[in-house]
Amino acid sequence: MVKKVVIIGAGLGGLAVAIALRKQGIDAQVYEKAYSLRPIGAGLTLFPNGLNSLDAIAPGIVESLEGAGSQTRMLNLRKSTGELIAQKSVTFMEKYGRPMLQIRWSRLQEILASALPTDAIHLNHRCIGFEQNNSGVEVCFDEGETVQADLLIGADGLNSAVRQALIGDGSPRYAGRMSWRAILKYSHELLPPNEVMSMTAPDGKIFGFFDLGSGYLFWSAATLAPDEFVAQSAIDVKSRVQEKFSGWAEPVQAIVKSTAAEDIIERPISDRLPLQNWSQGRVTLLGDAAHPMVPLLGQGANTAFEDAWELSQCLSSASTIEAALASYENSRKPRTQVIQIRNAVQANRAYKADSETYLRGMMEKAQVSDAEFEEWLYNYKPSVTADLK
Ligand SMILES: Cc1cc2nc3c(=O)[nH]c(=O)nc-3n(C[C@H](O)[C@H](O)[C@H](O)COP(=O)(O)OP(=O)(O)OC[C@H]3O[C@@H](n4cnc5c(N)ncnc54)[C@H](O)[C@@H]3O)c2cc1C
């Protein structure tokens, strides 16, 4: 049914779905606008649901990831003054058989990319649109090149060009929050191995530190910000962080001071409301292109891995592309909608933004206790179609 698939975006979701499809003998080719696979996200938390999906896609990969990252055992919450407010041990391994894993984005991307032949990833290819008919889809790139495929997957992130051509629903919603992230080699007595520490202030500011193993540390900071203005130079970005968090207790000052300005990523936080449909004919979406969410629950990449596995399974078992994409949406939409909405509702509280009537309605579905929600989220087991068992 499907011999050749073009995937737009060599992010985490695009690479994962390419691996899953190639395992089925499908010629999956990934097209990426960047000139090289640069680390774009500093550090990332992988949860049991995302790890289960990665294990289904590439058995053994989770062991490589565990060797490259750090398993979180303890969460600590402090005030911006340094006072310890709460501690919680993380027992995911005991409860779900998988850890909460902190990993460098670049290592994760490298490990995924190394599972693909190098000639299956085409850098410096910006997708600008597509044309489809009953027999195929033609994908267009900005240098005038075109590529034919049986199926096109838009895994091109928050500002997806494929989504714009398919749905045309404009820009994402700015969530009223600016974020900064970086990785550095650093050790501090307040940041023991296998622990995460968050520091918080009543005005919506937060500063988190994540042990990444091998002496690396990932920090992530955020504040309320009325607009999406980003600084023009690396020096300005670093000054902005220093100014926003001036007066915060150590290790904030020492760590920001030790971070090279050019290593700090500044990014507005945005999302979109859930979509009714995200496929048409021979074109579908995956990951942030389909269901971008604010990062409160750290589920964006984890759910992209779930999508990648489910889509490969649907393609292997359905008799037509349309049927495969319909069953992919049916399996993914209810779950990702709940996660998107729960993120957005919690962000409404955490980011102190105005709530929306639509979100209140959708919240009915997601209105379960934190404990129930956690069970549902992390106990996710990727399904296996009968003919692949
Ligand atoms: C502050 C912050 C913290 C986060 N923390 C976590 C976390 O702990 N855990 C987690 O699971 N998620 C987290 N996320 C979310 C996570 O980063 C995303 O959900 C995830 O990267 C989505 O993967 P993706 O492959 O769908 O898209 P992306 O990773 O955005 O990849 C899209 C790719 O497509 C390429 N591309 C874009 N347009 C085109 C085009 N026109 N043509 C060709 N290529 C194109 C891009 O260059 C990029 O390589 C966080 C996000 C933020 C902002």
Side-chain angles (χ1 to χ4, degrees), residues 7-15 31-34 37-38 40-41 43-47 101-102 105 109 122 125-128 141 154-162 179-181 210 218 220-221 267-270 286-305 307:
I7 298 159
I8 303 300
L12 303 176
L15 294 174
Y31 290 83
E32 164 61 48
K33 69 177 180 183
L37 293 186
R38 289 174 294 118
I40 48 163
L44 197 77
T45 309
L46 295 179
F47 289 98
L101 187 70
Q102 311 297 341
W105 185 291
Q109 197 181 37
H122 309 263
H125 278 77
R126 178 189 291 271
C127 171
I128 54 167
F141 296 95
D156 48 346
L158 181 66
N159 296 296
S160 164
V162 178
S179 73
W180 298 271
R181 290 173 285 166
F210 306 78
F218 162 46
S220 172
R267 177 125 161 246
I269 301 286
S270 303
L286 180 147
D288 275 8
H291 45 71
M293 46 187 83
V294 294
L296 264 182
L297 300 171
Q299 279 294 323
N302 286 283
T303 51
F305 297 141
D307 290 350

Side-chain angles (χ1 to χ4, degrees), residues 173-178 223-228 269-270 351 353:
R173 310 183 308 169
Y174 174 55
R177 204 159 173 84
M178 190 61 68
T223 66
L224 298 176
D227 55 47
E228 299 181 60
I269 301 286
S270 303
Y351 303 174

Side-chain angles (χ1 to χ4, degrees), residues 258-371:
S258 302
T259 308
E262 55 274 15
D263 290 344
I264 304 177
I265 301 162
E266 182 176 52
R267 177 125 161 246
I269 301 286
S270 303
D271 71 355
R272 292 179 188 270
L273 294 174
L275 274 178
Q276 290 298 317
N277 294 98
W278 67 53
S279 311
Q280 253 174 51
R282 297 171 171 274
V283 183
T284 193
L285 303 174
L286 180 147
D288 275 8
H291 45 71
M293 46 187 83
V294 294
L296 264 182
L297 300 171
Q299 279 294 323
N302 286 283
T303 51
F305 297 141
E306 294 179 0
D307 290 350
W309 173 253
E310 288 289 339
L311 178 53
S312 72
Q313 293 298 286
C314 294
L315 285 167
S316 77
S317 57
S319 53
T320 65
I321 290 179
E322 285 75 9
L325 298 187
S327 78
Y328 165 59
E329 283 199 22
N330 286 340
S331 83
R332 297 305 300 149
K333 269 191 315 201
R335 180 170 167 86
T336 54
Q337 282 178 355
V338 169
I339 301 171
Q340 258 182 304
I341 292 301
R342 192 153 178 119
N343 261 304
V345 170
Q346 292 193 1
N348 259 357
R349 293 190 201 120
Y351 303 174
K352 298 195 191 92
D354 287 328
S355 60
E356 289 171 319
T357 316
Y358 176 81
L359 287 180
R360 275 200 297 274
M362 290 293 288
M363 186 55 189
E364 294 286 299
K365 261 205 265 180
Q367 195 78 54
V368 292
S369 73
D370 284 348

Side-chain angles (χ1 to χ4, degrees), residues 131-139 148-151 282-283 321:
E131 299 277 344
Q132 61 172 321
N133 58 33
N134 287 341
S135 59
V137 53
E138 182 179 72
V139 189
Q148 307 291 327
D150 301 313
L151 172 68
R282 297 171 171 274
V283 183
I321 290 179

